[in-house]
Amino acid sequence: MVVLRAGLCPGLSEEMIQLLRANGIRTVVDFVSSDLEDVAQKCSLSYKALVAVRRVLLAQFSAFPTNGADLYEELKSSTAILPTGSPSLDQLLDSGLYTGEMMELMGAPGSGKTQVCLGIAASVSLGLKQHVLFLDSTGGFTASRLYQMLRAQAQAEEEQLEALQRIQVVRVFNIYEMLSALQELRDRLSQQVVSSTGPLKMVVIDSVSAVIYPLLGGKQSEGLAIMMQLARELKTLAREFSLAVVVTNQVTRDSSTGALKPALGRSWSFVPSTRVLLESKEAAWEKATTQRVASLAKSPRQPTGIQVELDIGYGDVQEPNPATPPPGL
């Protein structure tokens, strides 16, 4: 369900939305299934204006039939694979990130999700010279850490600074700021006004759970509707503009088995095409380690359960050297 909001379509103003909400009309489905003559009388709105808005919403949100052959040809012509900068992570993802799809990194706090996102952004910007949009909802983005990663991969300062300029950071601390940033991105992509120096190929959201969790309290049905509106926006952006979307999510413990599972529930589980679980690799003789285990929890191409090791302690997220156990073990 898509929640009605200003700017969703021409003619849908904030004043109209407030009047509609006062009469119990909150979503697109509520609106298009209502008797508009009755709505016009109750809300003191123009019947012609309501009909025009409904016509636009139906055109925008209705499904149109297509066939498998056309979809396959479109997929072949629009899909690109973006290397992550980590050979082992690329192996887990079957060569890298696929445009038109969403990949979710999930893990407990401190598992390295932000670090991996920074490493991927650095690789795409520096190695592929593509633009990256980084939506930071936790305040975890650190420019100095990103610059350290770029310095580890490129010696020329000019090249490092150019790579930094290709990464746009937007801080969004609630779901409405995030939806607004994504709508602005859609408008810019539709008008082909992103940057004069190169195309946008990746969107990173760190983290999606930080802006959704506050919605899933009291009025859960409305929060769920907004969560699925965000999901729809991300998936359509990825597909329509051939973007690779990377999001981070928290994990919880299953009450019956004690196993780790992604947050945000069953409804969100159908949104990402690929899910990767990051966990710390603690050794008995070490107090802390920068090594992580990445496990494939969901994939359209690879069997689930595959694991690789990452080391997030260097300038680049890279494949670690074999651990050397202490004497006597």
Side-chain angles (χ1 to χ4, degrees), residues 84 173 300:
T84 64
F173 296 113

Side-chain angles (χ1 to χ4, degrees), residues 45-265:
L45 292 169
S46 165
Y47 175 72
K48 288 185 177 180
L50 291 173
V51 170
V53 169
R54 182 167 69 174
R55 185 180 297 116
V56 174
L57 290 175
L58 285 173
Q60 185 174 347
F61 293 99
S62 296
F64 295 95
T66 186
N67 60 66
D70 290 342
L71 289 174
Y72 181 63
E73 289 302 321
E74 181 183 351
L75 182 66
K76 288 196 299 181
S77 62
S78 62
T79 301
I81 303 175
L82 312 180
T84 64
S86 165
S88 50
L89 185 57
D90 286 343
Q91 177 188 352
L92 189 72
L93 299 174
D94 192 19
S95 301
L97 298 170
Y98 284 68
T99 59
E101 296 183 4
M102 183 193 306
M103 191 270 283
E104 179 184 85
L105 284 170
M106 53 182 179
S111 59
K113 300 185 296 294
T114 299
Q115 184 81 345
V116 173
C117 286
L118 290 174
I120 295 173
S123 175
V124 171
S125 175
L126 183 64
L128 301 179
K129 294 182 170 44
Q130 303 290 318
H131 283 246
V132 177
L133 175 63
F134 198 112
L135 298 181
D136 177 20
S137 65
T138 64
F141 180 91
T142 308
S144 59
R145 187 67 183 118
L146 177 61
Y147 186 49
Q148 183 182 359
M149 291 179 173
L150 292 171
R151 290 182 63 187
Q153 299 177 53
Q155 295 183 351
E157 184 177 358
E158 183 180 357
E159 193 176 358
Q160 299 163 12
L161 294 177
E162 287 178 355
L164 276 176
Q165 292 174 353
R166 284 191 287 266
I167 301 175
Q168 179 188 4
V169 182
V170 179
R171 300 192 186 278
V172 288
F173 296 113
N174 60 61
I175 187 67
Y176 303 104
E177 290 180 353
M178 182 169 291
L179 287 171
S180 177
L182 292 174
Q183 182 60 48
E184 182 181 347
L185 172 63
R186 171 179 287 278
D187 293 342
R188 290 162 57 194
L189 290 171
S190 299
Q191 299 167 13
Q192 296 182 346
V193 181
V194 177
S195 172
S196 59
T197 55
L200 180 77
K201 271 301 175 186
M202 189 172 75
V203 175
V204 179
I205 296 181
D206 183 29
S207 88
V208 71
S209 51
V211 296
I212 292 178
Y213 263 142
L215 304 174
L216 301 181
K219 296 183 178 180
Q220 187 171 358
S221 59
E222 184 173 346
L224 183 62
I226 298 176
M227 180 179 77
M228 298 317 295
Q229 180 178 348
L230 173 63
R232 176 187 174 278
E233 188 67 30
L234 290 172
K235 295 188 77 169
T236 53
L237 274 173
R239 185 177 63 252
E240 291 178 11
F241 300 103
S242 297
L243 303 177
V245 176
V246 177
V247 302
T248 66
N249 190 7
Q250 295 292 337
V251 292
T252 59
R253 291 277 180 189
D254 189 285
S255 57
S256 57
T257 65
L260 289 175
K261 64 178 184 179
L264 302 182

Side-chain angles (χ1 to χ4, degrees), residues 26-37:
R26 296 179 174 273
T27 68
V28 171
V29 173
D30 294 339
F31 183 81
V32 299
S33 59
S34 298
D35 183 340
L36 295 189
E37 290 186 1

